[in-house]
Structures are given as structure tokens and as C-alpha cells.
Amino acid sequence: MLITFKSKAAAEVTMYKEHARRILELLHKDVDIGVITSEETGNAIKIIEAAVNESKVHPVSEIVQRDIDVHHNDTVDDNEHEKIETVSFSARAYPLLEMLHAAHKMQRDVMWGV
């Protein structure tokens, strides 16, 4: 499923719900519908940039944790491992981060699911 982020400050940003979820959870936002108000954009930028920097410091641990989350859950224990993703968290977060920078500068909200 896709999520489209909208703001009057930038072009729309569309990403897979699975990838947006990680970013939105950092911001304590619902993945299905929500808004990052213009007042919240500055703090959102700081939080996402900190997560991007952390993912660059510990790229292997991020991949391992994702593999654990995917294959060891409540319903099944699957020991087959997925191919390692080549797209980093920072690359996935970049378009939304750029939108947040523009929204912060122009004092605009960022919305999704509306």
C-alpha cells in the first residue's frame, strides 16, 4: 500500500506504507492519516535526521533487526532470510525530509491520508 504526503510547500511524496511507518513511528504519528503541523516540522526534522545519522553509524544492526522483525514474530518462526536491502533508511527518508524542510521554511503543514 502507498502513502502520499502532501504540503503546499513542496511536490507530493509517495512511498510504501511499510517504509513510511518507520518514519511516522519516530514522530508518534498514525500511519494511515495525519498531519505534521508547521509548528512540529522543526522537531520532526531533528528526529528524522538523528535517526538517519544513527542508521549510518550502525547499518548492519539495522539490517539484522529488520530481518528479526520479519522472520520471528507472534505467528511463525521462519529461519529463511531475505536478501539484504540495498536501499538505506536515509535514502528512503530523504524525499520526506526535504518536504519537511520546505514546509518548515514556508510555515506549511504536511498531511497524508486525506
Coordinates of all heavy atoms in Angstrom, one line a residue, residues 53-113:
N53 N 21.2 9.6 10.9 CA 22.6 9.6 11.3 C 22.9 8.3 12.1 O 24.0 7.7 11.9 CB 23.0 10.8 12.2 CG 23.0 12.1 11.4 OD1 23.3 12.0 10.2 ND2 22.8 13.2 12.0
E54 N 22.0 7.8 12.9 CA 22.1 6.6 13.7 C 22.2 5.4 12.7 O 23.0 4.5 12.9 CB 21.0 6.4 14.7 CG 21.0 5.2 15.5 CD 22.2 5.2 16.5 OE1 22.7 6.2 16.8 OE2 22.5 4.1 16.9
S55 N 21.3 5.4 11.7 CA 21.3 4.3 10.7 C 22.6 4.2 9.9 O 23.0 3.2 9.5 CB 20.1 4.4 9.8 OG 20.3 5.4 8.8
K56 N 23.3 5.4 9.7 CA 24.6 5.4 9.0 C 25.7 4.9 9.9 O 26.6 4.3 9.4 CB 24.9 6.8 8.6 CG 24.0 7.3 7.4 CD 24.4 8.7 7.0 CE 23.5 9.1 5.8 NZ 23.8 10.5 5.4
V57 N 25.6 5.1 11.2 CA 26.6 4.6 12.2 C 26.5 3.1 12.4 O 27.5 2.4 12.5 CB 26.5 5.3 13.5 CG1 27.4 4.7 14.6 CG2 26.7 6.8 13.4
H58 N 25.3 2.6 12.4 CA 25.0 1.2 12.6 C 24.2 0.5 11.5 O 23.1 0.0 11.7 CB 24.2 1.0 13.9 CG 24.9 1.6 15.1 ND1 26.1 1.0 15.6 CD2 24.7 2.7 15.8 CE1 26.5 1.8 16.7 NE2 25.6 2.8 16.8
P59 N 24.7 0.5 10.3 CA 23.9 0.0 9.2 C 23.6 -1.5 9.3 O 22.6 -2.0 8.9 CB 24.7 0.3 7.9 CG 26.1 0.4 8.4 CD 26.0 1.0 9.8
V60 N 24.6 -2.3 9.8 CA 24.4 -3.8 9.9 C 23.4 -4.1 10.9 O 22.5 -4.9 10.7 CB 25.8 -4.5 10.2 CG1 25.5 -5.9 10.5 CG2 26.7 -4.3 9.1
S61 N 23.4 -3.4 12.1 CA 22.4 -3.7 13.1 C 21.0 -3.4 12.6 O 20.0 -4.1 13.0 CB 22.7 -2.9 14.4 OG 22.6 -1.5 14.2
E62 N 20.8 -2.4 11.8 CA 19.5 -2.1 11.2 C 19.0 -3.2 10.3 O 17.9 -3.6 10.4 CB 19.6 -0.8 10.4 CG 18.3 -0.4 9.7 CD 18.4 0.9 8.9 OE1 19.3 1.7 9.1 OE2 17.6 1.0 7.9
I63 N 19.9 -3.8 9.5 CA 19.5 -4.9 8.6 C 19.2 -6.1 9.5 O 18.2 -6.8 9.2 CB 20.7 -5.2 7.6 CG1 20.8 -4.0 6.7 CG2 20.4 -6.5 6.9 CD1 22.1 -4.0 5.9
V64 N 20.0 -6.4 10.5 CA 19.7 -7.6 11.3 C 18.4 -7.4 12.0 O 17.6 -8.3 12.1 CB 20.9 -7.8 12.3 CG1 20.5 -8.8 13.4 CG2 22.2 -8.2 11.6
Q65 N 18.1 -6.2 12.6 CA 16.9 -6.0 13.3 C 15.7 -6.2 12.4 O 14.7 -6.8 12.8 CB 16.8 -4.7 14.0 CG 15.6 -4.4 14.9 CD 15.5 -5.5 16.0 OE1 16.4 -5.7 16.7 NE2 14.3 -6.1 16.1
R66 N 15.8 -5.7 11.2 CA 14.7 -5.8 10.2 C 14.5 -7.3 9.9 O 13.3 -7.7 9.9 CB 15.0 -5.0 9.0 CG 13.9 -5.1 8.0 CD 14.3 -4.3 6.7 NE 13.3 -4.6 5.7 CZ 13.2 -5.7 4.9 NH1 14.1 -6.7 5.1 NH2 12.3 -5.9 4.0
D67 N 15.5 -8.0 9.7 CA 15.4 -9.5 9.5 C 14.7 -10.2 10.6 O 13.9 -11.0 10.4 CB 16.8 -10.0 9.2 CG 16.7 -11.4 8.5 OD1 16.0 -11.6 7.5 OD2 17.4 -12.3 9.1
I68 N 15.1 -9.8 11.8 CA 14.5 -10.5 13.0 C 13.0 -10.1 13.1 O 12.2 -11.0 13.3 CB 15.2 -10.0 14.3 CG1 16.6 -10.6 14.4 CG2 14.4 -10.4 15.5 CD1 17.5 -10.0 15.4
D69 N 12.7 -8.9 12.8 CA 11.3 -8.5 12.9 C 10.4 -9.2 11.8 O 9.3 -9.6 12.1 CB 11.1 -6.9 12.6 CG 11.7 -6.1 13.8 OD1 11.9 -6.7 14.9 OD2 11.9 -4.9 13.6
V70 N 11.0 -9.4 10.6 CA 10.2 -10.0 9.6 C 10.1 -11.5 9.8 O 9.0 -12.1 9.5 CB 11.0 -9.8 8.2 CG1 10.4 -10.6 7.1 CG2 10.9 -8.3 7.8
H71 N 11.0 -12.2 10.4 CA 11.0 -13.6 10.4 C 10.7 -14.3 11.7 O 10.5 -15.5 11.8 CB 12.4 -14.2 9.8 CG 12.5 -13.8 8.4 ND1 11.8 -14.4 7.4 CD2 13.3 -12.9 7.8 CE1 12.1 -13.9 6.3 NE2 13.1 -13.0 6.5
H72 N 10.7 -13.5 12.8 CA 10.5 -14.1 14.1 C 9.4 -13.2 14.8 O 9.7 -12.2 15.4 CB 11.7 -14.1 15.0 CG 12.8 -14.8 14.3 ND1 12.9 -16.2 14.3 CD2 13.9 -14.4 13.7 CE1 14.0 -16.6 13.7 NE2 14.6 -15.5 13.3
N73 N 8.1 -13.6 14.6 CA 7.0 -12.8 15.1 C 6.1 -13.7 15.9 O 6.4 -14.9 16.2 CB 6.3 -12.1 14.0 CG 5.9 -13.1 12.9 OD1 5.3 -14.1 13.2 ND2 6.2 -12.7 11.6
D74 N 4.9 -13.2 16.2 CA 4.0 -14.0 17.1 C 3.4 -15.2 16.4 O 3.1 -16.2 17.1 CB 2.8 -13.1 17.4 CG 3.2 -11.9 18.3 OD1 4.3 -12.0 18.9 OD2 2.5 -10.9 18.3
T75 N 3.3 -15.3 15.1 CA 2.6 -16.4 14.4 C 3.6 -17.4 13.9 O 3.2 -18.6 13.7 CB 1.7 -15.9 13.3 OG1 2.6 -15.2 12.4 CG2 0.6 -15.0 13.8
V76 N 4.8 -17.1 13.5 CA 5.6 -18.1 12.9 C 7.1 -17.7 13.1 O 7.5 -16.6 13.4 CB 5.4 -18.1 11.3 CG1 5.8 -16.8 10.7 CG2 6.1 -19.2 10.7
D77 N 7.9 -18.8 13.2 CA 9.4 -18.6 13.3 C 10.0 -19.1 12.0 O 10.0 -20.3 11.7 CB 9.9 -19.5 14.5 CG 10.8 -18.7 15.4 OD1 10.8 -17.5 15.2 OD2 11.4 -19.3 16.3
D78 N 10.3 -18.2 11.1 CA 10.8 -18.6 9.8 C 12.3 -18.3 9.8 O 12.8 -17.2 10.0 CB 10.1 -17.7 8.7 CG 10.6 -18.0 7.3 OD1 11.4 -18.9 7.1 OD2 10.1 -17.3 6.4
N79 N 13.1 -19.4 9.5 CA 14.6 -19.2 9.5 C 15.2 -18.9 8.2 O 16.4 -18.7 8.0 CB 15.2 -20.5 10.1 CG 14.9 -20.7 11.5 OD1 14.8 -19.7 12.3 ND2 14.7 -21.9 11.9
E80 N 14.3 -18.8 7.1 CA 14.8 -18.3 5.8 C 15.0 -16.8 5.8 O 14.1 -16.1 6.2 CB 13.8 -18.7 4.7 CG 13.6 -20.2 4.6 CD 14.9 -20.9 4.1 OE1 15.6 -20.4 3.2 OE2 15.2 -22.0 4.6
H81 N 16.2 -16.4 5.4 CA 16.5 -15.0 5.5 C 16.3 -14.3 4.1 O 16.6 -14.9 3.1 CB 17.9 -14.8 6.0 CG 18.1 -15.3 7.4 ND1 17.7 -14.6 8.5 CD2 18.5 -16.5 7.8 CE1 17.9 -15.3 9.6 NE2 18.4 -16.4 9.2
E82 N 15.8 -13.1 4.2 CA 15.6 -12.3 3.0 C 16.9 -11.8 2.4 O 17.8 -11.6 3.2 CB 14.6 -11.1 3.2 CG 13.2 -11.5 3.5 CD 12.4 -10.3 3.7 OE1 12.9 -9.1 3.7 OE2 11.2 -10.4 3.8
K83 N 16.9 -11.4 1.2 CA 18.1 -10.8 0.6 C 18.2 -9.4 1.2 O 17.2 -8.7 1.5 CB 17.8 -10.6 -0.9 CG 18.9 -10.0 -1.7 CD 18.6 -9.9 -3.1 CE 19.6 -9.1 -3.9 NZ 19.2 -8.9 -5.3
I84 N 19.4 -9.0 1.5 CA 19.6 -7.7 2.2 C 19.2 -6.6 1.3 O 19.5 -6.6 0.1 CB 21.1 -7.5 2.5 CG1 21.5 -8.6 3.6 CG2 21.4 -6.2 3.0 CD1 23.0 -8.6 3.9
E85 N 18.5 -5.6 1.9 CA 18.0 -4.5 1.1 C 19.2 -3.6 0.8 O 20.1 -3.4 1.6 CB 17.0 -3.6 2.0 CG 15.7 -4.1 2.0 CD 14.7 -3.2 2.7 OE1 14.9 -1.9 2.6 OE2 13.8 -3.7 3.4
T86 N 19.2 -3.0 -0.4 CA 20.3 -2.2 -0.8 C 19.9 -0.7 -0.6 O 20.7 0.2 -0.8 CB 20.7 -2.4 -2.2 OG1 19.6 -2.3 -3.1 CG2 21.3 -3.8 -2.4
V87 N 18.6 -0.4 -0.3 CA 18.2 1.0 -0.2 C 18.2 1.3 1.3 O 17.5 0.7 2.1 CB 16.8 1.2 -0.7 CG1 16.3 2.6 -0.5 CG2 16.7 0.8 -2.2
S88 N 19.0 2.3 1.7 CA 19.2 2.6 3.1 C 18.0 3.4 3.6 O 17.2 4.0 2.9 CB 20.5 3.4 3.3 OG 20.3 4.7 2.7
F89 N 17.9 3.5 5.0 CA 16.9 4.3 5.6 C 17.0 5.8 5.2 O 16.0 6.4 4.9 CB 17.0 4.1 7.1 CG 16.1 5.1 7.9 CD1 14.7 4.9 7.9 CD2 16.6 6.2 8.6 CE1 13.8 5.7 8.5 CE2 15.7 7.0 9.2 CZ 14.4 6.8 9.2
S90 N 18.3 6.2 5.1 CA 18.5 7.6 4.8 C 18.0 7.9 3.4 O 17.4 9.0 3.1 CB 20.0 8.0 4.9 OG 20.8 7.3 4.1
A91 N 18.2 7.0 2.4 CA 17.7 7.2 1.1 C 16.2 7.2 1.0 O 15.5 8.0 0.3 CB 18.2 6.1 0.2
R92 N 15.5 6.4 1.8 CA 14.1 6.3 1.9 C 13.5 7.6 2.5 O 12.4 8.0 2.2 CB 13.6 5.1 2.6 CG 14.0 3.8 1.9 CD 13.1 2.6 2.4 NE 13.6 1.4 2.0 CZ 13.4 0.8 0.8 NH1 12.7 1.5 -0.1 NH2 13.9 -0.4 0.5
A93 N 14.1 8.1 3.5 CA 13.6 9.2 4.3 C 13.9 10.5 3.6 O 13.2 11.5 3.9 CB 14.3 9.2 5.7
Y94 N 14.8 10.6 2.7 CA 15.3 11.8 2.1 C 14.1 12.7 1.5 O 14.0 13.9 1.7 CB 16.4 11.6 1.0 CG 16.9 12.8 0.4 CD1 17.8 13.6 1.0 CD2 16.4 13.2 -0.9 CE1 18.2 14.8 0.4 CE2 16.9 14.3 -1.5 CZ 17.8 15.1 -0.8 OH 18.2 16.3 -1.4
P95 N 13.3 12.1 0.6 CA 12.2 12.9 0.0 C 11.3 13.6 1.0 O 10.9 14.7 0.9 CB 11.4 11.9 -0.9 CG 12.4 10.8 -1.1 CD 13.2 10.7 0.1
L96 N 10.9 12.8 2.0 CA 10.0 13.4 3.1 C 10.8 14.4 3.9 O 10.2 15.4 4.3 CB 9.5 12.3 4.0 CG 8.5 12.7 5.1 CD1 7.3 13.5 4.5 CD2 8.0 11.5 5.9
L97 N 12.0 14.2 4.2 CA 12.8 15.1 4.9 C 12.9 16.4 4.1 O 12.8 17.5 4.7 CB 14.2 14.5 5.2 CG 15.1 15.2 6.2 CD1 14.4 15.4 7.5 CD2 16.3 14.4 6.4
E98 N 13.1 16.4 2.8 CA 13.2 17.6 2.0 C 11.8 18.3 2.0 O 11.8 19.5 2.1 CB 13.6 17.2 0.6 CG 15.0 16.8 0.4 CD 15.9 18.0 0.8 OE1 15.9 19.1 0.2 OE2 16.7 17.8 1.8
M99 N 10.7 17.6 2.0 CA 9.4 18.2 2.1 C 9.3 18.9 3.4 O 8.8 20.0 3.5 CB 8.3 17.1 1.9 CG 6.9 17.7 2.1 SD 5.6 16.5 2.0 CE 5.3 16.5 0.3
L100 N 9.7 18.2 4.5 CA 9.6 18.9 5.8 C 10.5 20.1 5.9 O 10.0 21.1 6.5 CB 10.1 17.9 6.9 CG 9.1 16.8 7.2 CD1 9.7 15.7 8.1 CD2 7.8 17.4 7.9
H101 N 11.6 20.1 5.3 CA 12.5 21.4 5.3 C 11.7 22.5 4.6 O 11.7 23.6 5.1 CB 13.8 21.1 4.6 CG 14.8 20.5 5.5 ND1 15.5 21.1 6.5 CD2 15.3 19.2 5.5 CE1 16.3 20.3 7.1 NE2 16.2 19.1 6.5
A102 N 11.1 22.2 3.4 CA 10.4 23.2 2.7 C 9.2 23.7 3.5 O 8.9 24.9 3.5 CB 9.9 22.7 1.3
A103 N 8.5 22.8 4.1 CA 7.3 23.1 4.9 C 7.7 24.0 6.1 O 7.0 24.9 6.4 CB 6.6 21.8 5.4
H104 N 8.8 23.6 6.7 CA 9.3 24.4 7.8 C 9.6 25.8 7.4 O 9.2 26.8 8.1 CB 10.5 23.7 8.5 CG 11.0 24.4 9.7 ND1 10.3 24.4 10.9 CD2 12.1 25.1 9.9 CE1 11.0 25.1 11.8 NE2 12.1 25.5 11.2
K105 N 10.3 26.0 6.3 CA 10.7 27.3 5.8 C 9.5 28.1 5.4 O 9.5 29.3 5.7 CB 11.6 27.1 4.6 CG 12.2 28.3 4.0 CD 13.1 28.1 2.8 CE 13.6 29.4 2.2 NZ 14.6 29.1 1.1
M106 N 8.5 27.5 4.8 CA 7.3 28.2 4.3 C 6.2 28.2 5.4 O 5.1 28.7 5.1 CB 6.8 27.6 3.0 CG 7.9 27.8 1.9 SD 7.3 27.1 0.3 CE 6.0 28.2 -0.1
Q107 N 6.4 27.6 6.5 CA 5.4 27.5 7.6 C 4.1 26.9 7.1 O 3.0 27.4 7.2 CB 5.2 28.9 8.2 CG 6.4 29.5 8.8 CD 6.1 30.8 9.5 OE1 5.1 31.4 9.3 NE2 7.1 31.2 10.3
R108 N 4.2 25.7 6.5 CA 3.1 24.9 6.0 C 3.0 23.5 6.7 O 4.0 23.0 7.1 CB 3.3 24.7 4.5 CG 3.3 25.9 3.7 CD 2.0 26.6 3.7 NE 2.0 27.8 2.8 CZ 0.9 28.4 2.4 NH1 -0.2 28.1 2.9 NH2 1.0 29.5 1.7
D109 N 1.9 23.0 6.7 CA 1.7 21.6 7.2 C 2.0 20.6 6.2 O 2.0 20.8 5.0 CB 0.2 21.4 7.6 CG -0.3 22.4 8.7 OD1 0.6 22.9 9.4 OD2 -1.5 22.5 8.8
V110 N 2.3 19.3 6.7 CA 2.5 18.2 5.9 C 1.3 17.2 6.2 O 1.2 16.9 7.4 CB 3.8 17.5 6.1 CG1 4.0 16.2 5.3 CG2 4.9 18.5 5.6
M111 N 0.6 16.7 5.3 CA -0.6 15.8 5.6 C -0.5 14.5 4.7 O 0.2 14.5 3.7 CB -1.9 16.5 5.2 CG -2.1 17.8 6.0 SD -3.6 18.7 5.5 CE -2.9 19.5 4.0
W112 N -1.1 13.5 5.2 CA -1.2 12.3 4.5 C -2.6 11.6 4.9 O -3.1 11.8 5.9 CB -0.1 11.3 4.7 CG 0.1 10.9 6.2 CD1 -0.4 9.7 6.7 CD2 0.7 11.6 7.2 NE1 -0.1 9.7 8.1 CE2 0.6 10.9 8.4 CE3 1.3 12.9 7.3 CZ2 1.0 11.3 9.6 CZ3 1.8 13.3 8.5 CH2 1.7 12.5 9.7
G113 N -3.0 10.8 3.9 CA -4.3 10.0 4.2 C -5.5 10.8 4.1 O -6.6 10.4 4.5

